Amino acid sequence: MKRPILLFAAVSALITNARAQTDLPVDSGTFFLHKFEQHIGKETYYVRKYKDAVHYHIDFKFVDRGSPVPLIAELKVNPVADPLELTIKGNTSRFSTIDDKVTIRGNEAAIRVNDSSYSQKVLPLSFPVGGYSPGTVQQVLIRYWNKHQQPASIHMLPFGDVQIKKSGMDQLTFNGKPLTLNRLTISGLVWGNELVWTDNDGKLICLITNDAEGDKLEMMRVPYEELLPQLISKAATYGMELFARAAAPTGVTNKVIAVTGGNLIDVNTGTSMPNAVVLIEDGIIKQTGKVGEVKIPAGAKIIDAKGKTILPGLWDMHAHFEQAEWGPAYLAVGVTTVRDCGNEFGYINAIKAAIDGGKGVGPNIIKAGIIDGKGPYALGIIQADTKEEAIKAVDRYKENGFQQIKIYSSVKPAIVKVICDEAHRLGLTVTGHIPQHMTLQQGVDSGMNMVNHVQYVYSVMKRDKNRATIFDDSISVAAIKFIKDHHVVIDPTIGVFELAFRNVKDDITKLEPNYYNLPLPLQALFKNMGEEPAQAAKLKPMYESMKKTVKVLYDAGVPIVAGTDMGFPGYSLDRELELYVEAGLTPAQAIKTATITPATVMSLDKTTGSIEVGKQADLVIIDGDPLSNIRDIRKVSVVIKEGRVYDPVKLHQMVGFKN
């Protein structure tokens, strides 16, 4: 952390020197930063005005679950807000960095991105931006947009375009008096839309965005902090309205649908029926069989699947549905059900209500409500350190339709048992992290039914000096036996570790072949995620052990459910299954972890998870044979969710993906 400290010292010196050079007053402002509504840091900016330029010196830092995320930036504009230079260096999340400089001289821009330097022509209406942070840069960007008569689009440097739109005004009460704020939407800086409120002087009051991990992050100007809950609620409402307007033309509903001629996969047995028919009526599977044996009613919509594979809709058992755009992105790759493993309470309720009510596009959502303990590593505002707080939190989730509780890392060991006991009393299961000062065995003995992330299995196994697991050691053997004997469900999220531990010098398309189909803000988000070569090499034995653990667990009879913990929207579920096959599972076994197994562990296998008569019509048609080549699972041609037919190309286009 020495470099950010030195940078801050340098910035402080610049400010001191500037004060010595002019008598003009220094302007400043501070935003509190929040994740899951929890205050986790702040951004402070100082403004120095000269005759020919205005300098913004910005110190941005939050601490996310114990990990500092510091960023220093300096923005220079001329007196009428035209940009001159942006320097930005530091972290944008726990796992990603930025080191950019853009200097504009006339019609040319000198650009440095990490260790790459080049120059390019500056197009009219261009502004240097480094992403969602710092908020101060977005404040100046909005002023630039206003100064240029609110153009439809502004070119970003070093790349991309940003769109700013007026979306309305909100009347609030602040300090007992009416307060009117201007509401804007900004797209192009992050994937999807940011919501922004400014006052009549153009000062940024609130920014609701997504950070470089894809988590929702709120920036609130300090004097207005008390308004944050109201604005978060409004953001959910406005986000749903945007969602609903975008959703209308996407899916088509037909009373009767016949999928004909495809290779129908029975995920229970791993076998297939060639030249099959699946008959769907009112969103329910009515009949399956061979072509010629199933009578297709007159007027049925016919979907020709000849030469293709018919699979049940896929499941992502570790989602964080942080924004409306995840809905189409999931459906586009055939994911028709997700388990949301912790979210802002009001936001996930609004998302699910919109989808279930036909006002939004997205998969079925199973809600797992997060509970953490208090402390420096806590996440979110639903925290419990006492028996009473724990019971109250569990009861609230139950009353609001949550099907599971997710325990997070700071819950005290004694409270874990209280949460599990209350959840079980109410008919809920419990998943989550193994909290600090507990082992996997202790968490399970306290009542946890499922565990997120394979790292907690790895942590209780014997390892050598290179941090590779010794699988045949008695400690490792006993750990696997314990998990099996206690019927623990494991959600490995191997793809998370592949992404976090990867060598940033490697070609990212080897990990994600659709990388260049992602919207530009997502490409920028993932570009620097990983480790430098030397550290990546050190972490490789740990990663390979985690991957092999999936095979060892599966062979022992432990239920494995595929989950992503976000990653590349939608595509990371495909990657998770590819990694299971790399670990030694057959493609049929891997597909089972994303279909009937999650349905079974969530007690929903009577209604979903496989293509059987009487079950919900959630299907995906693959232009290939994933039983022979798991990578074919990426070749989605048609998606059906509850009898509604979706075109994956249109779904991806809705949320800015290329095809």
Side-chain angles (χ1 to χ4, degrees), residues 7 11 44-46 56-60 71-75 86-90 133-134 136-137:
L7 282 169
V11 170
T44 299
Y45 67 90
Y46 300 92
Y56 292 81
H57 305 281
I58 308 160
D59 178 24
F60 172 102
L71 188 70
I72 296 292
E74 183 173 6
L75 174 65
L86 173 65
T87 305
I88 183 167
K89 184 178 181 67
S133 62
T136 304
V137 175

mmCIF file with all atom_site columns, all heavy atoms in Angstrom, residues 7 11 44-46 56-60 71-75 86-90 133-134 136-137:
data_model
loop_
_atom_site.group_PDB
_atom_site.id
_atom_site.type_symbol
_atom_site.label_atom_id
_atom_site.label_alt_id
_atom_site.label_comp_id
_atom_site.label_asym_id
_atom_site.label_entity_id
_atom_site.label_seq_id
_atom_site.pdbx_PDB_ins_code
_atom_site.Cartn_x
_atom_site.Cartn_y
_atom_site.Cartn_z
_atom_site.occupancy
_atom_site.B_iso_or_equiv
_atom_site.pdbx_formal_charge
_atom_site.auth_seq_id
_atom_site.auth_comp_id
_atom_site.auth_asym_id
_atom_site.auth_atom_id
_atom_site.pdbx_PDB_model_num
ATOM 1   N N   . LEU A 1 7   ? 1.406   8.666  -3.362  1.00 0.00 ? 7   LEU A N   1
ATOM 2   C CA  . LEU A 1 7   ? 0.609   9.468  -4.287  1.00 0.00 ? 7   LEU A CA  1
ATOM 3   C C   . LEU A 1 7   ? -0.203  10.515 -3.548  1.00 0.00 ? 7   LEU A C   1
ATOM 4   O O   . LEU A 1 7   ? -0.304  11.668 -3.968  1.00 0.00 ? 7   LEU A O   1
ATOM 5   C CB  . LEU A 1 7   ? -0.322  8.569  -5.097  1.00 0.00 ? 7   LEU A CB  1
ATOM 6   C CG  . LEU A 1 7   ? 0.319   7.806  -6.261  1.00 0.00 ? 7   LEU A CG  1
ATOM 7   C CD1 . LEU A 1 7   ? -0.652  6.776  -6.787  1.00 0.00 ? 7   LEU A CD1 1
ATOM 8   C CD2 . LEU A 1 7   ? 0.730   8.755  -7.363  1.00 0.00 ? 7   LEU A CD2 1
ATOM 9   N N   . VAL A 1 11  ? -0.139  14.501 -3.956  1.00 0.00 ? 11  VAL A N   1
ATOM 10  C CA  . VAL A 1 11  ? -1.324  15.326 -4.209  1.00 0.00 ? 11  VAL A CA  1
ATOM 11  C C   . VAL A 1 11  ? -1.441  16.417 -3.155  1.00 0.00 ? 11  VAL A C   1
ATOM 12  O O   . VAL A 1 11  ? -1.739  17.575 -3.452  1.00 0.00 ? 11  VAL A O   1
ATOM 13  C CB  . VAL A 1 11  ? -2.594  14.450 -4.247  1.00 0.00 ? 11  VAL A CB  1
ATOM 14  C CG1 . VAL A 1 11  ? -3.838  15.327 -4.260  1.00 0.00 ? 11  VAL A CG1 1
ATOM 15  C CG2 . VAL A 1 11  ? -2.578  13.569 -5.485  1.00 0.00 ? 11  VAL A CG2 1
ATOM 16  N N   . THR A 1 44  ? -13.072 12.536 -1.298  1.00 0.00 ? 44  THR A N   1
ATOM 17  C CA  . THR A 1 44  ? -12.935 13.972 -1.033  1.00 0.00 ? 44  THR A CA  1
ATOM 18  C C   . THR A 1 44  ? -12.226 14.629 -2.214  1.00 0.00 ? 44  THR A C   1
ATOM 19  O O   . THR A 1 44  ? -11.246 14.089 -2.728  1.00 0.00 ? 44  THR A O   1
ATOM 20  C CB  . THR A 1 44  ? -12.140 14.223 0.254   1.00 0.00 ? 44  THR A CB  1
ATOM 21  O OG1 . THR A 1 44  ? -12.837 13.627 1.361   1.00 0.00 ? 44  THR A OG1 1
ATOM 22  C CG2 . THR A 1 44  ? -11.984 15.714 0.521   1.00 0.00 ? 44  THR A CG2 1
ATOM 23  N N   . TYR A 1 45  ? -12.750 15.762 -2.645  1.00 0.00 ? 45  TYR A N   1
ATOM 24  C CA  . TYR A 1 45  ? -12.082 16.481 -3.735  1.00 0.00 ? 45  TYR A CA  1
ATOM 25  C C   . TYR A 1 45  ? -11.805 17.919 -3.299  1.00 0.00 ? 45  TYR A C   1
ATOM 26  O O   . TYR A 1 45  ? -12.527 18.511 -2.499  1.00 0.00 ? 45  TYR A O   1
ATOM 27  C CB  . TYR A 1 45  ? -12.919 16.453 -5.014  1.00 0.00 ? 45  TYR A CB  1
ATOM 28  C CG  . TYR A 1 45  ? -14.229 17.213 -4.969  1.00 0.00 ? 45  TYR A CG  1
ATOM 29  C CD1 . TYR A 1 45  ? -14.305 18.564 -5.325  1.00 0.00 ? 45  TYR A CD1 1
ATOM 30  C CD2 . TYR A 1 45  ? -15.406 16.574 -4.584  1.00 0.00 ? 45  TYR A CD2 1
ATOM 31  C CE1 . TYR A 1 45  ? -15.509 19.253 -5.301  1.00 0.00 ? 45  TYR A CE1 1
ATOM 32  C CE2 . TYR A 1 45  ? -16.612 17.251 -4.559  1.00 0.00 ? 45  TYR A CE2 1
ATOM 33  C CZ  . TYR A 1 45  ? -16.663 18.588 -4.913  1.00 0.00 ? 45  TYR A CZ  1
ATOM 34  O OH  . TYR A 1 45  ? -17.860 19.269 -4.877  1.00 0.00 ? 45  TYR A OH  1
ATOM 35  N N   . TYR A 1 46  ? -10.697 18.442 -3.827  1.00 0.00 ? 46  TYR A N   1
ATOM 36  C CA  . TYR A 1 46  ? -10.313 19.838 -3.629  1.00 0.00 ? 46  TYR A CA  1
ATOM 37  C C   . TYR A 1 46  ? -10.183 20.477 -5.008  1.00 0.00 ? 46  TYR A C   1
ATOM 38  O O   . TYR A 1 46  ? -9.625  19.878 -5.927  1.00 0.00 ? 46  TYR A O   1
ATOM 39  C CB  . TYR A 1 46  ? -8.973  19.942 -2.898  1.00 0.00 ? 46  TYR A CB  1
ATOM 40  C CG  . TYR A 1 46  ? -8.991  19.305 -1.535  1.00 0.00 ? 46  TYR A CG  1
ATOM 41  C CD1 . TYR A 1 46  ? -8.618  17.972 -1.376  1.00 0.00 ? 46  TYR A CD1 1
ATOM 42  C CD2 . TYR A 1 46  ? -9.385  20.020 -0.406  1.00 0.00 ? 46  TYR A CD2 1
ATOM 43  C CE1 . TYR A 1 46  ? -8.633  17.370 -0.129  1.00 0.00 ? 46  TYR A CE1 1
ATOM 44  C CE2 . TYR A 1 46  ? -9.408  19.430 0.847   1.00 0.00 ? 46  TYR A CE2 1
ATOM 45  C CZ  . TYR A 1 46  ? -9.027  18.111 0.977   1.00 0.00 ? 46  TYR A CZ  1
ATOM 46  O OH  . TYR A 1 46  ? -9.049  17.515 2.215   1.00 0.00 ? 46  TYR A OH  1
ATOM 47  N N   . TYR A 1 56  ? -8.823  19.614 -10.164 1.00 0.00 ? 56  TYR A N   1
ATOM 48  C CA  . TYR A 1 56  ? -9.539  18.822 -9.161  1.00 0.00 ? 56  TYR A CA  1
ATOM 49  C C   . TYR A 1 56  ? -8.588  17.743 -8.642  1.00 0.00 ? 56  TYR A C   1
ATOM 50  O O   . TYR A 1 56  ? -8.112  16.905 -9.416  1.00 0.00 ? 56  TYR A O   1
ATOM 51  C CB  . TYR A 1 56  ? -10.762 18.142 -9.775  1.00 0.00 ? 56  TYR A CB  1
ATOM 52  C CG  . TYR A 1 56  ? -11.864 19.074 -10.205 1.00 0.00 ? 56  TYR A CG  1
ATOM 53  C CD1 . TYR A 1 56  ? -11.794 19.750 -11.425 1.00 0.00 ? 56  TYR A CD1 1
ATOM 54  C CD2 . TYR A 1 56  ? -12.990 19.276 -9.409  1.00 0.00 ? 56  TYR A CD2 1
ATOM 55  C CE1 . TYR A 1 56  ? -12.802 20.605 -11.830 1.00 0.00 ? 56  TYR A CE1 1
ATOM 56  C CE2 . TYR A 1 56  ? -14.007 20.128 -9.811  1.00 0.00 ? 56  TYR A CE2 1
ATOM 57  C CZ  . TYR A 1 56  ? -13.902 20.792 -11.017 1.00 0.00 ? 56  TYR A CZ  1
ATOM 58  O OH  . TYR A 1 56  ? -14.917 21.634 -11.421 1.00 0.00 ? 56  TYR A OH  1
ATOM 59  N N   . HIS A 1 57  ? -8.314  17.780 -7.356  1.00 0.00 ? 57  HIS A N   1
ATOM 60  C CA  . HIS A 1 57  ? -7.474  16.765 -6.719  1.00 0.00 ? 57  HIS A CA  1
ATOM 61  C C   . HIS A 1 57  ? -8.397  15.867 -5.901  1.00 0.00 ? 57  HIS A C   1
ATOM 62  O O   . HIS A 1 57  ? -9.108  16.344 -5.008  1.00 0.00 ? 57  HIS A O   1
ATOM 63  C CB  . HIS A 1 57  ? -6.420  17.420 -5.835  1.00 0.00 ? 57  HIS A CB  1
ATOM 64  C CG  . HIS A 1 57  ? -5.572  18.433 -6.558  1.00 0.00 ? 57  HIS A CG  1
ATOM 65  N ND1 . HIS A 1 57  ? -4.532  18.079 -7.381  1.00 0.00 ? 57  HIS A ND1 1
ATOM 66  C CD2 . HIS A 1 57  ? -5.640  19.789 -6.591  1.00 0.00 ? 57  HIS A CD2 1
ATOM 67  C CE1 . HIS A 1 57  ? -3.982  19.163 -7.889  1.00 0.00 ? 57  HIS A CE1 1
ATOM 68  N NE2 . HIS A 1 57  ? -4.643  20.224 -7.424  1.00 0.00 ? 57  HIS A NE2 1
ATOM 69  N N   . ILE A 1 58  ? -8.377  14.571 -6.182  1.00 0.00 ? 58  ILE A N   1
ATOM 70  C CA  . ILE A 1 58  ? -9.402  13.671 -5.651  1.00 0.00 ? 58  ILE A CA  1
ATOM 71  C C   . ILE A 1 58  ? -8.757  12.498 -4.917  1.00 0.00 ? 58  ILE A C   1
ATOM 72  O O   . ILE A 1 58  ? -7.863  11.827 -5.449  1.00 0.00 ? 58  ILE A O   1
ATOM 73  C CB  . ILE A 1 58  ? -10.286 13.123 -6.797  1.00 0.00 ? 58  ILE A CB  1
ATOM 74  C CG1 . ILE A 1 58  ? -10.829 14.274 -7.653  1.00 0.00 ? 58  ILE A CG1 1
ATOM 75  C CG2 . ILE A 1 58  ? -11.426 12.280 -6.246  1.00 0.00 ? 58  ILE A CG2 1
ATOM 76  C CD1 . ILE A 1 58  ? -11.285 13.839 -9.037  1.00 0.00 ? 58  ILE A CD1 1
ATOM 77  N N   . ASP A 1 59  ? -9.243  12.262 -3.712  1.00 0.00 ? 59  ASP A N   1
ATOM 78  C CA  . ASP A 1 59  ? -8.808  11.117 -2.906  1.00 0.00 ? 59  ASP A CA  1
ATOM 79  C C   . ASP A 1 59  ? -10.031 10.236 -2.667  1.00 0.00 ? 59  ASP A C   1
ATOM 80  O O   . ASP A 1 59  ? -10.982 10.652 -1.992  1.00 0.00 ? 59  ASP A O   1
ATOM 81  C CB  . ASP A 1 59  ? -8.223  11.600 -1.574  1.00 0.00 ? 59  ASP A CB  1
ATOM 82  C CG  . ASP A 1 59  ? -7.805  10.453 -0.676  1.00 0.00 ? 59  ASP A CG  1
ATOM 83  O OD1 . ASP A 1 59  ? -7.538  9.360  -1.195  1.00 0.00 ? 59  ASP A OD1 1
ATOM 84  O OD2 . ASP A 1 59  ? -7.766  10.650 0.553   1.00 0.00 ? 59  ASP A OD2 1
ATOM 85  N N   . PHE A 1 60  ? -10.015 9.043  -3.222  1.00 0.00 ? 60  PHE A N   1
ATOM 86  C CA  . PHE A 1 60  ? -11.142 8.102  -3.157  1.00 0.00 ? 60  PHE A CA  1
ATOM 87  C C   . PHE A 1 60  ? -10.650 6.842  -2.458  1.00 0.00 ? 60  PHE A C   1
ATOM 88  O O   . PHE A 1 60  ? -9.620  6.273  -2.830  1.00 0.00 ? 60  PHE A O   1
ATOM 89  C CB  . PHE A 1 60  ? -11.585 7.794  -4.592  1.00 0.00 ? 60  PHE A CB  1
ATOM 90  C CG  . PHE A 1 60  ? -12.616 6.698  -4.751  1.00 0.00 ? 60  PHE A CG  1
ATOM 91  C CD1 . PHE A 1 60  ? -13.948 7.013  -4.987  1.00 0.00 ? 60  PHE A CD1 1
ATOM 92  C CD2 . PHE A 1 60  ? -12.254 5.359  -4.719  1.00 0.00 ? 60  PHE A CD2 1
ATOM 93  C CE1 . PHE A 1 60  ? -14.886 6.006  -5.178  1.00 0.00 ? 60  PHE A CE1 1
ATOM 94  C CE2 . PHE A 1 60  ? -13.182 4.353  -4.899  1.00 0.00 ? 60  PHE A CE2 1
ATOM 95  C CZ  . PHE A 1 60  ? -14.509 4.672  -5.127  1.00 0.00 ? 60  PHE A CZ  1
ATOM 96  N N   . LEU A 1 71  ? -7.762  5.079  -4.390  1.00 0.00 ? 71  LEU A N   1
ATOM 97  C CA  . LEU A 1 71  ? -7.633  5.635  -5.730  1.00 0.00 ? 71  LEU A CA  1
ATOM 98  C C   . LEU A 1 71  ? -7.307  7.120  -5.598  1.00 0.00 ? 71  LEU A C   1
ATOM 99  O O   . LEU A 1 71  ? -7.940  7.829  -4.818  1.00 0.00 ? 71  LEU A O   1
ATOM 100 C CB  . LEU A 1 71  ? -8.948  5.450  -6.494  1.00 0.00 ? 71  LEU A CB  1
ATOM 101 C CG  . LEU A 1 71  ? -8.996  5.796  -7.973  1.00 0.00 ? 71  LEU A CG  1
ATOM 102 C CD1 . LEU A 1 71  ? -8.181  4.795  -8.775  1.00 0.00 ? 71  LEU A CD1 1
ATOM 103 C CD2 . LEU A 1 71  ? -10.438 5.774  -8.463  1.00 0.00 ? 71  LEU A CD2 1
ATOM 104 N N   . ILE A 1 72  ? -6.346  7.579  -6.369  1.00 0.00 ? 72  ILE A N   1
ATOM 105 C CA  . ILE A 1 72  ? -5.994  8.994  -6.422  1.00 0.00 ? 72  ILE A CA  1
ATOM 106 C C   . ILE A 1 72  ? -6.182  9.476  -7.857  1.00 0.00 ? 72  ILE A C   1
ATOM 107 O O   . ILE A 1 72  ? -5.799  8.787  -8.808  1.00 0.00 ? 72  ILE A O   1
ATOM 108 C CB  . ILE A 1 72  ? -4.528  9.222  -5.995  1.00 0.00 ? 72  ILE A CB  1
ATOM 109 C CG1 . ILE A 1 72  ? -4.340  8.821  -4.538  1.00 0.00 ? 72  ILE A CG1 1
ATOM 110 C CG2 . ILE A 1 72  ? -4.127  10.675 -6.208  1.00 0.00 ? 72  ILE A CG2 1
ATOM 111 C CD1 . ILE A 1 72  ? -5.047  9.697  -3.548  1.00 0.00 ? 72  ILE A CD1 1
ATOM 112 N N   . ALA A 1 73  ? -6.786  10.644 -8.020  1.00 0.00 ? 73  ALA A N   1
ATOM 113 C CA  . ALA A 1 73  ? -6.995  11.174 -9.362  1.00 0.00 ? 73  ALA A CA  1
ATOM 114 C C   . ALA A 1 73  ? -6.777  12.675 -9.375  1.00 0.00 ? 73  ALA A C   1
ATOM 115 O O   . ALA A 1 73  ? -6.973  13.360 -8.367  1.00 0.00 ? 73  ALA A O   1
ATOM 116 C CB  . ALA A 1 73  ? -8.403  10.846 -9.853  1.00 0.00 ? 73  ALA A CB  1
ATOM 117 N N   . GLU A 1 74  ? -6.390  13.179 -10.533 1.00 0.00 ? 74  GLU A N   1
ATOM 118 C CA  . GLU A 1 74  ? -6.291  14.620 -10.749 1.00 0.00 ? 74  GLU A CA  1
ATOM 119 C C   . GLU A 1 74  ? -6.905  14.923 -12.114 1.00 0.00 ? 74  GLU A C   1
ATOM 120 O O   . GLU A 1 74  ? -6.515  14.339 -13.132 1.00 0.00 ? 74  GLU A O   1
ATOM 121 C CB  . GLU A 1 74  ? -4.849  15.107 -10.704 1.00 0.00 ? 74  GLU A CB  1
ATOM 122 C CG  . GLU A 1 74  ? -4.746  16.624 -10.860 1.00 0.00 ? 74  GLU A CG  1
ATOM 123 C CD  . GLU A 1 74  ? -3.335  17.155 -10.650 1.00 0.00 ? 74  GLU A CD  1
ATOM 124 O OE1 . GLU A 1 74  ? -2.416  16.328 -10.493 1.00 0.00 ? 74  GLU A OE1 1
ATOM 125 O OE2 . GLU A 1 74  ? -3.169  18.384 -10.656 1.00 0.00 ? 74  GLU A OE2 1
ATOM 126 N N   . LEU A 1 75  ? -7.876  15.812 -12.123 1.00 0.00 ? 75  LEU A N   1
ATOM 127 C CA  . LEU A 1 75  ? -8.553  16.228 -13.348 1.00 0.00 ? 75  LEU A CA  1
ATOM 128 C C   . LEU A 1 75  ? -8.298  17.714 -13.558 1.00 0.00 ? 75  LEU A C   1
ATOM 129 O O   . LEU A 1 75  ? -8.481  18.518 -12.636 1.00 0.00 ? 75  LEU A O   1
ATOM 130 C CB  . LEU A 1 75  ? -10.056 15.968 -13.243 1.00 0.00 ? 75  LEU A CB  1
ATOM 131 C CG  . LEU A 1 75  ? -10.926 16.487 -14.393 1.00 0.00 ? 75  LEU A CG  1
ATOM 132 C CD1 . LEU A 1 75  ? -10.606 15.762 -15.703 1.00 0.00 ? 75  LEU A CD1 1
ATOM 133 C CD2 . LEU A 1 75  ? -12.414 16.345 -14.050 1.00 0.00 ? 75  LEU A CD2 1
ATOM 134 N N   . LEU A 1 86  ? -6.432  14.084 -17.380 1.00 0.00 ? 86  LEU A N   1
ATOM 135 C CA  . LEU A 1 86  ? -6.898  13.230 -16.287 1.00 0.00 ? 86  LEU A CA  1
ATOM 136 C C   . LEU A 1 86  ? -5.808  12.213 -15.974 1.00 0.00 ? 86  LEU A C   1
ATOM 137 O O   . LEU A 1 86  ? -5.334  11.504 -16.860 1.00 0.00 ? 86  LEU A O   1
ATOM 138 C CB  . LEU A 1 86  ? -8.187  12.495 -16.668 1.00 0.00 ? 86  LEU A CB  1
ATOM 139 C CG  . LEU A 1 86  ? -8.676  11.448 -15.642 1.00 0.00 ? 86  LEU A CG  1
ATOM 140 C CD1 . LEU A 1 86  ? -9.085  12.114 -14.329 1.00 0.00 ? 86  LEU A CD1 1
ATOM 141 C CD2 . LEU A 1 86  ? -9.828  10.625 -16.208 1.00 0.00 ? 86  LEU A CD2 1
ATOM 142 N N   . THR A 1 87  ? -5.428  12.171 -14.706 1.00 0.00 ? 87  THR A N   1
ATOM 143 C CA  . THR A 1 87  ? -4.512  11.143 -14.213 1.00 0.00 ? 87  THR A CA  1
ATOM 144 C C   . THR A 1 87  ? -5.235  10.369 -13.128 1.00 0.00 ? 87  THR A C   1
ATOM 145 O O   . THR A 1 87  ? -5.807  10.975 -12.208 1.00 0.00 ? 87  THR A O   1
ATOM 146 C CB  . THR A 1 87  ? -3.231  11.766 -13.626 1.00 0.00 ? 87  THR A CB  1
ATOM 147 O OG1 . THR A 1 87  ? -2.625  12.611 -14.607 1.00 0.00 ? 87  THR A OG1 1
ATOM 148 C CG2 . THR A 1 87  ? -2.252  10.688 -13.201 1.00 0.00 ? 87  THR A CG2 1
ATOM 149 N N   . ILE A 1 88  ? -5.226  9.043  -13.226 1.00 0.00 ? 88  ILE A N   1
ATOM 150 C CA  . ILE A 1 88  ? -5.956  8.228  -12.265 1.00 0.00 ? 88  ILE A CA  1
ATOM 151 C C   . ILE A 1 88  ? -5.168  6.954  -11.994 1.00 0.00 ? 88  ILE A C   1
ATOM 152 O O   . ILE A 1 88  ? -4.726  6.276  -12.931 1.00 0.00 ? 88  ILE A O   1
ATOM 153 C CB  . ILE A 1 88  ? -7.390  7.937  -12.782 1.00 0.00 ? 88  ILE A CB  1
ATOM 154 C CG1 . ILE A 1 88  ? -8.205  7.147  -11.775 1.00 0.00 ? 88  ILE A CG1 1
ATOM 155 C CG2 . ILE A 1 88  ? -7.385  7.255  -14.130 1.00 0.00 ? 88  ILE A CG2 1
ATOM 156 C CD1 . ILE A 1 88  ? -9.699  7.119  -12.117 1.00 0.00 ? 88  ILE A CD1 1
ATOM 157 N N   . LYS A 1 89  ? -4.964  6.651  -10.721 1.00 0.00 ? 89  LYS A N   1
ATOM 158 C CA  . LYS A 1 89  ? -4.124  5.501  -10.362 1.00 0.00 ? 89  LYS A CA  1
ATOM 159 C C   . LYS A 1 89  ? -4.594  4.912  -9.042  1.00 0.00 ? 89  LYS A C   1
ATOM 160 O O   . LYS A 1 89  ? -4.906  5.640  -8.104  1.00 0.00 ? 89  LYS A O   1
ATOM 161 C CB  . LYS A 1 89  ? -2.654  5.921  -10.242 1.00 0.00 ? 89  LYS A CB  1
ATOM 162 C CG  . LYS A 1 89  ? -1.692  4.761  -9.971  1.00 0.00 ? 89  LYS A CG  1
ATOM 163 C CD  . LYS A 1 89  ? -0.263  5.245  -9.927  1.00 0.00 ? 89  LYS A CD  1
ATOM 164 C CE  . LYS A 1 89  ? 0.709   4.105  -9.673  1.00 0.00 ? 89  LYS A CE  1
ATOM 165 N NZ  . LYS A 1 89  ? 0.770   3.136  -10.779 1.00 0.00 ? 89  LYS A NZ  1
ATOM 166 N N   . GLY A 1 90  ? -4.652  3.594  -9.002  1.00 0.00 ? 90  GLY A N   1
ATOM 167 C CA  . GLY A 1 90  ? -5.014  2.915  -7.759  1.00 0.00 ? 90  GLY A CA  1
ATOM 168 C C   . GLY A 1 90  ? -5.865  1.700  -8.031  1.00 0.00 ? 90  GLY A C   1
ATOM 169 O O   . GLY A 1 90  ? -5.721  1.023  -9.050  1.00 0.00 ? 90  GLY A O   1
ATOM 170 N N   . SER A 1 133 ? -15.652 5.510  -10.962 1.00 0.00 ? 133 SER A N   1
ATOM 171 C CA  . SER A 1 133 ? -15.034 6.342  -9.937  1.00 0.00 ? 133 SER A CA  1
ATOM 172 C C   . SER A 1 133 ? -13.899 7.147  -10.560 1.00 0.00 ? 133 SER A C   1
ATOM 173 O O   . SER A 1 133 ? -13.296 6.741  -11.564 1.00 0.00 ? 133 SER A O   1
ATOM 174 C CB  . SER A 1 133 ? -14.502 5.458  -8.806  1.00 0.00 ? 133 SER A CB  1
ATOM 175 O OG  . SER A 1 133 ? -13.499 4.572  -9.309  1.00 0.00 ? 133 SER A OG  1
ATOM 176 N N   . PRO A 1 134 ? -13.583 8.312  -9.986  1.00 0.00 ? 134 PRO A N   1
ATOM 177 C CA  . PRO A 1 134 ? -14.261 8.955  -8.855  1.00 0.00 ? 134 PRO A CA  1
ATOM 178 C C   . PRO A 1 134 ? -15.558 9.641  -9.298  1.00 0.00 ? 134 PRO A C   1
ATOM 179 O O   . PRO A 1 134 ? -15.704 10.027 -10.460 1.00 0.00 ? 134 PRO A O   1
ATOM 180 C CB  . PRO A 1 134 ? -13.238 9.985  -8.366  1.00 0.00 ? 134 PRO A CB  1
ATOM 181 C CG  . PRO A 1 134 ? -11.971 9.719  -9.099  1.00 0.00 ? 134 PRO A CG  1
ATOM 182 C CD  . PRO A 1 134 ? -12.347 9.030  -10.363 1.00 0.00 ? 134 PRO A CD  1
ATOM 183 N N   . THR A 1 136 ? -16.413 12.598 -8.548  1.00 0.00 ? 136 THR A N   1
ATOM 184 C CA  . THR A 1 136 ? -16.131 13.987 -8.907  1.00 0.00 ? 136 THR A CA  1
ATOM 185 C C   . THR A 1 136 ? -15.954 14.145 -10.413 1.00 0.00 ? 136 THR A C   1
ATOM 186 O O   . THR A 1 136 ? -16.393 15.146 -11.004 1.00 0.00 ? 136 THR A O   1
ATOM 187 C CB  . THR A 1 136 ? -14.867 14.476 -8.175  1.00 0.00 ? 136 THR A CB  1
ATOM 188 O OG1 . THR A 1 136 ? -15.040 14.294 -6.767  1.00 0.00 ? 136 THR A OG1 1
ATOM 189 C CG2 . THR A 1 136 ? -14.585 15.934 -8.472  1.00 0.00 ? 136 THR A CG2 1
ATOM 190 N N   . VAL A 1 137 ? -15.315 13.171 -11.046 1.00 0.00 ? 137 VAL A N   1
ATOM 191 C CA  . VAL A 1 137 ? -15.127 13.240 -12.499 1.00 0.00 ? 137 VAL A CA  1
ATOM 192 C C   . VAL A 1 137 ? -16.485 13.206 -13.195 1.00 0.00 ? 137 VAL A C   1
ATOM 193 O O   . VAL A 1 137 ? -16.713 13.922 -14.181 1.00 0.00 ? 137 VAL A O   1
ATOM 194 C CB  . VAL A 1 137 ? -14.216 12.093 -12.979 1.00 0.00 ? 137 VAL A CB  1
ATOM 195 C CG1 . VAL A 1 137 ? -14.128 12.088 -14.507 1.00 0.00 ? 137 VAL A CG1 1
ATOM 196 C CG2 . VAL A 1 137 ? -12.820 12.237 -12.387 1.00 0.00 ? 137 VAL A CG2 1
#
